[in-house]
Amino acid sequence: MAGAAAAVLAVGVLLAVKPAPFGAPAPPPQASAAQVSMTPMMPSSFEATVQVTQMGWGTHVSMTCTYHQDRIGTGADGGNKLAMYAVGRDGSRVQLATWMAHDGATASPTGSTSMPMEKIAAVQVVSADTGDVLLQRSL
């Protein structure tokens, strides 16, 4: 009985020190670019920065958009609906997020895709109503 208790205690200590399953691979490294400014593609009442991070499962994109007071036209619901897209080098487009732009506000949309970072040609902010590309950052 004492031998069995000692064996259980030894396994418990081993699991407490190394809780990951035996032989589990280390998490994949993440590569991240600095937060960079997006380029206006047409006259716009806001500016944005974007950060693209390579993950083991694909790519994560985070953005900060600042809207200037009293310069954004408003839609029927009091703001403009915008969308963030990742554009693949093959021309494919993946919508990552949508949000409402409001005068004088800052939004921080984020999104993810299974598309590897090296296959993304650009990140875009698009008017969800018209499809016009407002801002873009080529990678």
Side-chain angles (χ1 to χ4, degrees):
M1 181 74 139
V8 169
L9 179 61
V11 170
V13 168
L14 180 59
L15 290 177
V17 172
K18 183 178 175 156
F22 294 106
Q30 299 177 359
S32 178
Q35 192 114 15
V36 292
S37 295
M38 298 189 75
T39 303
M41 303 307 287
M42 61 181 2
S44 164
S45 58
F46 65 100
E47 52 197 41
T49 58
V50 65
Q51 183 175 22
V52 181
T53 305
Q54 179 177 313
M55 307 297 283
W57 44 260
T59 305
H60 178 76
V61 181
S62 59
M63 185 178 291
T64 302
C65 298
T66 304
Y67 309 99
H68 302 290
Q69 188 70 35
D70 298 325
R71 292 182 58 197
I72 295 178
T74 57
D77 52 5
N80 285 329
K81 186 175 180 181
L82 301 176
M84 176 173 40
Y85 281 88
V87 181
R89 297 196 186 281
D90 63 358
S92 61
R93 296 179 73 208
V94 177
Q95 182 176 305
L96 302 175
T98 60
W99 68 98
M100 295 300 294
H102 294 282
D103 289 340
T106 296
S108 300
T110 64
S112 299
T113 176
S114 61
M115 189 184 307
M117 192 165 107
E118 66 272 6
K119 293 191 177 185
I120 298 176
V123 176
Q124 297 177 333
V125 175
V126 176
S127 167
D129 295 327
T130 65
D132 292 336
V133 177
L134 305 174
L135 300 172
Q136 179 171 299
R137 180 64 190 204
S138 297
L139 303 182

